[in-house]
Amino acid sequence: MIGTSFNEGWQARPKVNPFAELSGPSVPFRPVTLPHDALIGQRRTAPDGQVTMEGGAGAYFPGGVFEYRKVFPVPEGYRGKRIFIEFEGVYRDATVFINGTYAGQRPFGYSHFHIDADRFLRFGQDNEIRVEARSHRDSRWYTGAGIYRDTWLFVGDVVRIQPDGPRISTPDVDQERAVVEVVTTVENDSIEIRTVEVVTEIRSASGAVVATDTAELTVLPGEPASARQRLYVREPSLWGPDTPALYDCDVTLKDGSGEVDRAAAAFGVRTLQLDPEHGLRLNGRTVELRGACVHHDNGVLGAATFARAEERRVEILKAAGFNAIRMSHHPMSKAMLDACDRLGMLVVDEAFDVWTSGKSEFDYSLSFPEWWERDIEAMVAKDFNHPSVILYSIGNEIPETGSPAGAAWGRRLADTVRSLDPTRYVTNAVNGLLAVLSELGALGQRAPEQAPDDGAGINTLMSDVGDAMNAISASELVTERTAESFAVLDVAGMNYAEARYALDRGLFPNRIILGTETFPTRIDGNWRLVRQHGHVIGDFTWTGWDYLGEVGIGRPQYLTPGGPKPSPTAPYPYLLAGCGDIDITGHRRPASYYREIVFGLRSEPYIAVRRPEHHGRTFAGSPWAWSDSVSSWSWPGFEGEPVAVEVYSDAHEVELLVNGRSLGRRPVGEEHRFRTEFETVHEPGELLAVAYRDGHETGRGSLRSATTPVRLTAAADRRAIRATGGDLAYVTLTLTDEHGTPHTGADRPVSVEVSGAGVLLGFGSADPSTEERFDATERRTYEGRALAVLRPTARGEIRLTATAPGCEATDVVVTAE
């Protein structure tokens, strides 16, 4: 079945009690275009004026119930056909009504699902579809609400290909040929036996047909049948992160009268192997996973999942040195999977954050026992054809993994995944601390198998959450309690448990480990472990991209004599977690460049300057918090004040010069955690870092102070975009001097106006604590930058004009084609 977009013509509003509207509508509907996040436009408040973990988890956005409706015509010619409406994602507890009649539901907010619609439709007339969605204290991060992913209308005959299309695998590959197995499931809702021809063609990227096959298939009424065809592609182009070659598969159903139905899918040819010596091999070569955990929100757009927003995130993450994404902690969108296929990004797709044990008052644990199997089926159906997907994760930090019952659940989930897709591996992101949380008292009497050098016990280590997690994860108690849960997996996913990596080489010689979640501040040591141990296949940092919610876990904090202790949750109006290598606007933070150096992908030294207003204070950030540094030498008001300068490099030593005056050379490189520091005073001008290896210069990096006057510049990521298909234009607004140097210390409000064939979809900055809204037309820059996102409404030119106090107006034009 071929789907057409069903995104236009919707209206939305907060749902009200129908009895309250007996005298007339009290809350009007407003027009929206999908994808749409109903929550991002709501007013944020601290609940009852108090800071709570629940409020901070969702970025202090309120919960709510939201109602969508759409009126659409159904031609008389559709009578007798099968009609399905697909929702790629509705957060959450979606309930669908067609012409006032209940048509279906889906509790989980991240699964795609189909509504069998034709039985409820009025042919030759207008019809109404209504969708209700609820979001209320049901997650540990910002989820958004409503119909936040694409919708599709599928129309087909009674004999048709299932909406998810053919399933394509490459079970046997060598240099001469690839065996491509195409399984096409055909349904027959007529009352007679039907025999059809299944005609399958495979095309290369150039459009040339490289393999064909035709098979007859008899389908009994009410009994789906599958045609399993083996095709052979000669001298196949292999898919991989460096060469993401894709093929197209077209399947056509034919009978005596001609074409009955068709479907298409893209796929890649690649092989996967796994063992403790070579680790993970892709197309016969070991690949170490340079991984980024990411949540699903798109920053200034909230949870709305536009295809271009997903593609842009993958582009930026890959440019920053990552080769893998772990979608945390829910199934990835179809749009991001498509982008990962095209761009060569490996994927760990994750099913659930909870099973039967809830983490929030009203989370998915309430629905898991009844719905988990259908949601696993939906995830696998979505992922099957995508070569980027290499691992399925059945859960994240599931408390049950430390119990026999939890291990049984893990086996049930893992076996279900394997029955649906035997071509990929299964993992589970286990947190040892949570697995034994109810027994933490026992650790006081049981020493960890890898005790810290100073002999401190667990109680002492609790003062440092990172050391505590590691010590507990390496304990004999965790070893015993998680053994069965790990045994049901192909890959033992471990969160914050690098102390187990070397330990398990002896205890469990067949265990293959993936660091499914790690502290960004420990990437140098973790990456050394990945390189040293063949059974450790990669590292996934928390997080690659910053996100809304879990506010302030990565924010800089400082100790104050007699003041409050550092807190894991920041007060309102904090908005962001603050722990991403890349901020919510797509700008790379210092940690990103440090990681690139650790990965061995960058030879030039990188300079980051700690904010001088905090000089001399004791830093007390969490292990998720990078140093309070900015890549800037523009600090107005701090001339002559002391300042600390960080330099990152893989060289043997680095020299720092301030306006040509050398501050000397300091050792750097792997033995010194790839970083060094210089103390100086702020002198406007130039900072220059020169790296040396064996006495020879290997690279330079510099920062210049911005000069006056301040200019406002606007730059679009692309000058031409598509008018349809979820494309967007991203416009970066930057305060600079005449040479283009960012004015990071001259923030001011910026106003934007959009005209022509588009609208302003979102506008904001990476400010971690603000009451400003993403749906406003004025926002204050943060560190000299803001981001505007434009959505095309028709073909033509879209013009954005921006103004700021003390700056000349600037504009940018994007063409929607």
Side-chain angles (χ1 to χ4, degrees):
M1 300 178 78
I2 303 297
T4 57
S5 176
F6 202 57
N7 287 342
E8 302 287 337
W10 289 85
Q11 297 176 314
R13 69 171 184 175
K15 180 176 169 56
V16 297
N17 187 323
F19 295 102
E21 293 195 319
L22 291 176
S23 58
S26 59
V27 180
F29 281 93
R30 63 183 184 89
V32 298
T33 298
L34 305 183
H36 176 255
D37 181 358
L39 207 59
I40 199 68
Q42 303 297 306
R43 182 173 177 268
R44 299 166 60 233
T45 58
D48 300 323
Q50 302 296 314
V51 176
T52 66
M53 187 65 75
E54 291 80 8
Y60 299 109
F61 280 91
V65 182
F66 301 95
E67 184 178 15
Y68 290 76
R69 72 179 183 187
K70 171 176 177 166
V71 175
F72 62 104
V74 178
E76 179 64 35
Y78 282 4
R79 189 183 296 275
K81 294 185 177 295
R82 299 308 321 274
I83 301 171
F84 297 89
I85 299 172
E86 179 183 290
F87 295 88
E88 289 191 13
V90 181
Y91 201 89
R92 178 182 172 293
D93 281 326
T95 309
V96 181
F97 302 87
I98 297 178
N99 293 323
T101 301
Y102 168 85
Q105 67 185 105
R106 195 72 172 212
F108 197 40
Y110 302 102
S111 286
H112 79 287
F113 62 97
H114 298 94
I115 296 296
D116 190 344
D118 47 297
R119 70 189 72 181
F120 306 108
L121 297 174
R122 301 164 183 161
F123 298 94
Q125 303 178 44
D126 282 342
N127 291 255
E128 182 187 65
I129 184 170
R130 186 164 55 86
V131 181
E132 294 179 4
R134 295 161 178 80
S135 175
H136 176 62
R137 298 173 78 163
D138 53 19
S139 180
R140 300 182 300 113
W141 57 87
Y142 176 82
T143 61
I147 311 177
Y148 70 98
R149 290 180 179 171
D150 287 323
T151 58
W152 302 89
L153 179 68
F154 287 90
V155 180
D157 289 325
V158 290
V159 177
R160 68 201 180 278
I161 300 170
Q162 281 186 341
D164 285 326
R167 294 194 176 194
I168 307 164
S169 60
T170 56
D172 186 1
V173 179
D174 59 32
Q175 290 183 340
E176 294 183 0
R177 90 289 182 266
V179 177
V180 180
E181 188 170 272
V182 182
V183 179
T184 303
T185 300
V186 178
E187 297 181 327
N188 178 7
D189 288 331
S190 72
I191 58 173
E192 60 182 344
I193 297 174
R194 296 283 296 273
T195 298
V196 294
E197 282 188 341
V198 181
V199 181
T200 299
E201 289 185 341
I202 295 176
R203 299 177 184 271
S204 66
S206 67
V209 176
V210 295
T212 62
D213 187 71
T214 300
E216 282 198 350
L217 181 68
T218 297
V219 192
L220 303 178
E223 295 184 22
S226 296
R228 187 177 303 270
Q229 296 168 285
R230 286 171 61 91
L231 294 88
Y232 301 88
V233 174
R234 308 298 173 183
E235 298 181 349
S237 299
L238 301 184
W239 185 96
D242 299 325
T243 56
L246 293 174
Y247 290 87
D248 290 314
C249 178
D250 296 316
V251 179
T252 306
L253 292 191
K254 296 181 178 180
D255 64 8
S257 62
E259 182 177 307
V260 176
D261 196 9
R262 67 170 50 243
F267 71 98
V269 177
R270 56 115 177 94
T271 64
L272 293 176
Q273 295 168 281
L274 193 64
D275 66 72
E277 285 72 40
H278 300 94
L280 175 69
R281 284 184 285 180
L282 179 68
N283 299 326
R285 300 181 62 182
T286 296
V287 57
E288 295 166 335
L289 300 180
R290 306 189 301 268
C293 296
V294 297
H295 270 317
H296 79 299
D297 75 74
N298 274 301
V300 303
L301 304 183
T305 305
F306 287 84
R308 173 56 188 161
E310 303 288 71
E311 179 183 61
R312 177 176 176 265
R313 277 204 289 170
V314 178
E315 288 175 348
I316 293 172
L317 287 164
K318 184 156 189 181
F322 294 108
N323 66 4
I325 292 174
R326 172 183 171 231
M327 181 50 66
S328 318
H329 308 288
H330 41 72
M332 183 180 280
S333 72
K334 292 183 178 182
M336 184 171 274
L337 285 171
D338 288 339
C340 289
D341 289 346
R342 290 193 303 272
L343 298 171
M345 183 70 82
L346 302 170
V347 172
V348 178
D349 207 6
E350 197 153 78
F352 308 117
D353 187 52
V354 293
W355 295 349
T356 59
S357 178
K359 298 176 182 176
S360 305
E361 292 92 326
F362 305 104
D363 62 20
Y364 178 70
S365 64
L366 301 174
S367 303
F368 174 85
E370 182 179 353
W371 284 87
W372 71 269
E373 194 164 7
R374 280 168 283 189
D375 289 321
I376 288 287
E377 290 170 353
M379 179 179 74
V380 173
K382 169 181 62 67
D383 291 4
F384 195 94
N385 294 336
H386 292 279
S388 55
V389 179
I390 57 172
L391 280 159
Y392 294 112
S393 171
I394 57 175
N396 170 69
E397 297 187 338
I398 304 297
E400 297 97 306
T401 53
S403 69
W409 268 113
R411 179 174 289 104
R412 190 177 296 127
L413 268 72
D415 287 349
T416 299
V417 170
R418 294 185 184 108
S419 70
L420 297 167
D421 184 357
T423 70
R424 293 175 172 91
Y425 303 116
V426 179
T427 188
N428 187 3
V430 175
N431 185 311
L433 185 152
L434 290 181
V436 298
L437 194 61
S438 63
E439 300 179 72
L440 279 186
L443 287 174
Q445 289 75 46
R446 304 176 69 171
E449 291 153 311
Q450 277 195 339
D453 293 338
D454 62 0
I458 292 298
N459 293 334
T460 303
L461 290 173
M462 287 303 290
S463 62
D464 183 299
V465 65
D467 288 342
M469 284 188 177
N470 255 305
I472 292 171
S473 291
S475 68
E476 183 180 346
L477 179 64
V478 170
T479 299
E480 295 173 357
R481 294 290 187 271
T482 60
E484 185 179 0
S485 285
F486 281 135
V488 307
L489 306 171
D490 303 307
V491 176
M494 295 187 182
N495 288 10
Y496 311 108
E498 62 268 24
R500 291 211 70 94
Y501 294 0
L503 181 69
D504 282 2
R505 183 65 168 169
L507 292 177
F508 303 96
N510 295 319
R511 179 176 288 180
I512 298 168
I513 295 173
L514 176 62
T516 38
E517 194 167 312
T518 64
F519 294 117
T521 49
R522 301 188 176 192
I523 180 56
D524 59 314
N526 290 345
W527 196 244
R528 187 182 306 115
L529 292 170
V530 172
R531 297 201 320 263
Q532 289 175 347
H533 299 289
H535 70 290
V536 182
I537 65 173
D539 178 278
F540 282 79
T541 187
W542 192 264
T543 57
W545 196 284
D546 207 9
Y547 58 98
L548 307 176
E550 288 190 307
V551 296
I553 67 168
R555 75 192 187 283
Q557 297 186 72
Y558 295 89
L559 294 180
T560 302
K565 294 182 179 180
S567 168
T569 301
Y572 177 84
Y574 258 86
L575 177 69
L576 307 178
C579 59
D581 277 24
I582 299 165
D583 72 26
I584 65 164
T585 69
H587 179 73
R588 293 178 64 182
R589 302 167 69 199
S592 174
Y593 294 92
Y594 176 80
R595 185 181 307 278
E596 191 178 14
I597 289 168
V598 172
F599 285 155
L601 302 175
R602 177 187 176 92
S603 59
E604 297 84 5
Y606 184 82
I607 305 172
V609 180
R610 295 212 285 265
R611 298 179 195 272
E613 62 263 38
H614 299 303
H615 188 270
R617 300 179 65 188
T618 302
F619 186 76
S622 75
W624 292 281
W626 197 250
S627 64
D628 192 5
S629 58
V630 182
S631 183
S632 173
W633 194 232
S634 299
W635 301 99
F638 289 94
E639 294 79 6
E641 296 294 325
V643 64
V645 178
E646 302 174 352
V647 183
Y648 314 145
S649 175
D650 65 352
H652 292 155
E653 55 184 358
V654 67
E655 181 182 18
L656 185 68
L657 298 93
V658 181
N659 295 327
R661 184 181 77 257
S662 176
L663 300 183
R665 297 188 185 185
R666 294 184 61 84
V668 70
E670 184 173 6
E671 292 183 358
H672 299 273
R673 301 196 65 191
F674 299 97
R675 60 193 296 168
T676 189
E677 297 180 9
F678 294 84
E679 286 285 337
T680 185
V681 295
H682 177 50
E683 299 175 16
E686 183 187 45
L687 272 184
L688 174 65
V690 183
Y692 299 91
R693 184 181 295 275
D694 297 325
H696 300 287
E697 181 179 326
T698 59
R700 294 186 169 208
S702 64
L703 294 176
R704 295 196 62 87
S705 302
T707 59
T708 55
V710 179
R711 296 186 175 187
L712 176 63
T713 64
D717 62 335
R718 294 167 301 151
R719 288 291 185 175
I721 63 174
R722 298 184 305 277
T724 58
D727 207 355
L728 304 171
Y730 281 78
V731 180
T732 301
L733 300 158
T734 311
L735 301 174
T736 72
D737 65 9
E738 62 180 344
H739 305 292
T741 303
H743 262 290
T744 55
D747 287 317
R748 59 197 62 191
V750 176
S751 297
V752 297
E753 181 180 341
V754 178
S755 59
V759 295
L760 181 66
L761 188 63
F763 184 32
S765 74
D767 189 345
S769 179
T770 177
E771 291 190 285
E772 294 178 302
R773 298 168 63 100
F774 293 127
D775 57 359
T777 56
E778 180 180 290
R779 283 294 301 255
R780 187 174 179 84
T781 59
Y782 179 72
E783 296 177 355
R785 289 179 298 275
L787 180 71
V789 185
L790 311 180
R791 178 177 63 81
T793 55
R795 294 181 179 178
E797 291 187 343
I798 311 170
R799 180 179 297 274
L800 179 143
T801 302
T803 57
C807 302
E808 292 186 5
T810 185
D811 62 8
V812 65
V813 175
V814 176
T815 302
E817 300 173 341

